[in-house]
């Protein structure tokens, strides 16, 4: 498991880990999806997501907030991701991912919490024990 939920007073928080930025972003994806819903079924819809950010932390939050936007606007639940590319060029982080979504259906999916946003609270990517690690907080 590349994430674990940790206690937080009012919101949902997860400690995420990865050997590199791609694995860390994937861990954030998994934590977000687990906080949002469980279950699955139905046809999958594939979308490419591109993020350009000033820092690795901003890239992570921007990616997860894009997932949250797609759920709130189109009822798309993130089912699977392939982080295809993360580059750092001229001080900018670029992320390219292919995400498979399922359209929310109460027969197949049980929603947990409404996530309003992914926040920067406690967010600092550090290296610990040979891995990258951070805490991500989902505002509910």
């Amino acid at each position: 498991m590349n994430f674990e939920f940790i206690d937080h007073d009012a919101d949902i928080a997860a400690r995420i880990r990865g050997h590199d930025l791609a694995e860390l972003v994937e861990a954030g994806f998994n934590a977000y999806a687990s906080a949002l819903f469980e279950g699955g079924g139905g046809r999958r819809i594939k979308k490419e997501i591109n993020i350009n950010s000033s820092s690795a932390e901003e890239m992570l939050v921007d990616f997860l907030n894009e997932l949250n936007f797609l759920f709130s606007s189109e009822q798309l639940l993130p089912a699977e991701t392939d982080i295809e590319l993360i580059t750092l060029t001229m001080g900018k982080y670029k992320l390219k991912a292919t995400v498979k979504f399922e359209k929310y259906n109460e027969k197949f999916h049980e929603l947990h919490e409404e996530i309003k946003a992914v926040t920067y609270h406690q967010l600092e990517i550090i290296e610990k024990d040979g891995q990258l690690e951070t805490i991500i907080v989902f505002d509910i």
Side-chain angles (χ1 to χ4, degrees), residues 9-40:
D9 291 338
D11 296 317
I12 299 172
R15 178 174 290 111
I16 60 174
R17 296 180 187 87
H19 288 96
D20 56 27
L21 277 176
E23 283 187 13
L24 190 72
V25 171
E26 186 175 330
F29 175 94
N30 292 333
Y32 171 79
S34 292
L36 183 63
F37 78 101
E38 64 183 71

Side-chain angles (χ1 to χ4, degrees), residues 8 11-14 117-123 135-139:
H8 194 277
D11 296 317
I12 299 172
V118 181
T119 74
Y120 289 94
H121 181 68
Q122 296 183 306
L123 182 65
I135 293 174
I136 194 83
V137 176
F138 305 114
D139 180 22

Side-chain angles (χ1 to χ4, degrees), residues 16-92:
I16 60 174
R17 296 180 187 87
H19 288 96
D20 56 27
L21 277 176
E23 283 187 13
L24 190 72
V25 171
E26 186 175 330
F29 175 94
N30 292 333
Y32 171 79
S34 292
L36 183 63
F37 78 101
E38 64 183 71
R43 186 176 66 89
R44 292 201 170 173
I45 301 161
K46 188 186 299 188
K47 288 186 178 271
E48 186 175 290
I49 296 178
N50 292 289
I51 303 292
N52 292 297
S53 303
S54 299
S55 68
E57 289 86 357
E58 185 178 313
M59 177 190 64
L60 174 62
V61 169
D62 288 350
F63 176 67
L64 297 176
N65 274 324
E66 180 67 16
L67 299 178
N68 201 49
F69 171 77
L70 289 168
F71 174 68
S72 63
S73 65
E74 300 178 37
Q75 296 289 287
L76 295 178
L77 295 165
E80 185 180 330
T81 189
D82 178 21
I83 308 300
E84 297 173 28
L85 176 71
I86 295 179
T87 59
L88 175 59
T89 307
M90 296 173 38
K92 294 284 187 183

